[in-house]
Amino acid sequence: MPNFLFRCAKVVRRTSVSFVAAALTLSLAACGGASPGASGGDDNRPVVLTTFTVLADIARNVAGDKLRVESITKAGAEIHGYEPTPGDIRKAAQADLILDNGLNLEVWFAQFVEGLDVPHAVVSDGVKAMPIGEDAYEGKPNPHAWMSPVNVQIYVDNMVKAFSKLDPGNTAIFEANGKAYKAELQSVQDQMVQKLAAVPEKQRALVTCEGAFSYLARDAGLREVYIWAVNAEQQATPQQIARAIEYVKANEVPAVFCESTVSDAPMQQVVSATDAKFGGVLYVDSLSEADGPVPTYLDLIRHDAKTITEALTGSPS
């Protein structure tokens, strides 16, 4: 089995994900397989697998101690173009439920679950998506709906429903956890809006590398400007950088930002060509490690609101 996995790991980029999934599932069966809780030792709780760390943290708040929640991607990973490994497929085959964001975020997800007899739920169902405004993705939904804590309350409702179907005996607990967490989400939303209200009208422009802040900018009354619309293999053309430089100069934007999962080199070119300073790193697609600045989703929103406010106003929030 280990040798088989090692060989698969080497060829996964040129082998269809569905083929690897089928091969791994057969191999697990041939070896007697493993129960969903096997990797957790004596932990026999149902396993919920999410596509990225932000969803995992939200799900843990809803699940409490009744479910074991894991993330396919690790802290710091870039989610858009993620390539699942044989180990990911094996973990998914043993899960009891898989949660994905939807809204075309996980472009690899359809092949990832193909051939797997595991239920999954799309946690963004019911969210009113904002469209992407340009490039090859123009008109498609902006997938970063979780950047609004109001939207995440819909995510929570969908998780409560999915978890209750998975484990009906703990429905009351999931509902209570969801209600409590939604209250926290609303509190953080209110704090974020209040904090960003301190940004003067002329400076209310959020200039970032990726167009991942449409929902946050909408909630906080900021104008969203970005170098590229959606993370892709080829980023930051000279024309895109020039456009950002022109906007920053014309509007005297005091600070610009970039996300934790991409290189800030293009934005540093904007900084060099203007009077704007680099305002800091913002988190979107991934949480940090436990000892980092954003170990939870609520920390992520608080961190981003604080970073934006302090950079645009030039004073501690």
Side-chain angles (χ1 to χ4, degrees), residues 17-262:
V17 175
S18 58
F19 173 81
V20 176
L24 280 168
T25 303
L26 288 172
S27 296
L28 284 168
C31 295
S35 65
S39 61
D42 295 331
D43 189 348
N44 293 316
R45 293 175 297 171
V47 176
V48 176
L49 190 63
T50 71
T51 48
F52 62 114
T53 55
V54 172
L55 294 189
D57 179 69
I58 298 168
R60 290 187 186 109
N61 280 276
V62 177
D65 62 358
K66 301 305 179 183
L67 305 173
R68 180 154 59 89
V69 180
E70 299 179 357
S71 172
I72 296 170
T73 57
K74 306 300 182 184
E78 210 292 308
I79 184 66
H80 292 270
Y82 182 74
E83 293 189 12
T85 68
D88 294 333
I89 305 295
R90 180 177 59 182
K91 184 183 294 186
Q94 296 176 311
D96 295 288
L97 174 68
I98 300 175
L99 301 180
D100 68 298
N101 181 77
L103 300 178
N104 299 323
L105 176 71
E106 306 97 333
V107 294
W108 45 270
F109 187 76
Q111 283 190 318
F112 178 75
V113 297
E114 185 179 347
L116 297 180
D117 186 21
V118 179
H120 93 273
V122 180
V123 296
S124 65
D125 278 353
V127 169
K128 185 176 181 180
M130 300 180 68
I132 296 172
E134 61 181 60
D135 294 343
Y137 305 93
E138 183 174 2
K140 294 183 178 179
N142 188 310
H144 305 91
W146 67 89
M147 291 306 293
S148 165
V150 173
N151 287 343
V152 173
Q153 294 180 50
I154 298 175
Y155 282 39
V156 168
D157 289 340
N158 288 327
M159 290 180 183
V160 169
K161 182 178 178 180
F163 294 171
S164 297
K165 185 175 180 180
L166 174 65
D167 187 6
N170 285 311
T171 295
I173 292 176
F174 300 143
E175 291 177 345
N177 289 346
K179 182 178 180 180
Y181 189 57
K182 284 168 67 175
E184 288 190 81
L185 289 166
Q186 188 60 52
S187 177
V188 168
Q189 166 77 9
D190 294 342
Q191 292 170 22
M192 178 186 72
V193 172
Q194 181 181 19
K195 190 182 295 289
L196 291 172
V199 179
E201 178 61 32
K202 186 178 180 180
Q203 299 173 347
R204 299 184 71 80
L206 179 56
V207 182
T208 60
C209 288
E210 183 192 7
F213 295 88
S214 298
Y215 299 93
L216 184 152
R218 177 201 64 191
D219 289 354
L222 302 175
R223 299 185 303 278
E224 184 192 27
V225 181
Y226 46 81
I227 297 179
W228 58 80
V230 177
N231 285 344
E233 290 184 7
Q234 301 298 325
Q235 295 172 347
T237 65
Q239 293 82 3
Q240 289 173 324
I241 295 174
R243 183 183 61 184
I245 289 172
E246 181 180 357
Y247 183 91
V248 170
K249 285 183 174 179
N251 293 276
E252 300 179 355
V253 178
V256 295
F257 310 85
C258 201
E259 298 75 59
S260 65
T261 54
V262 297

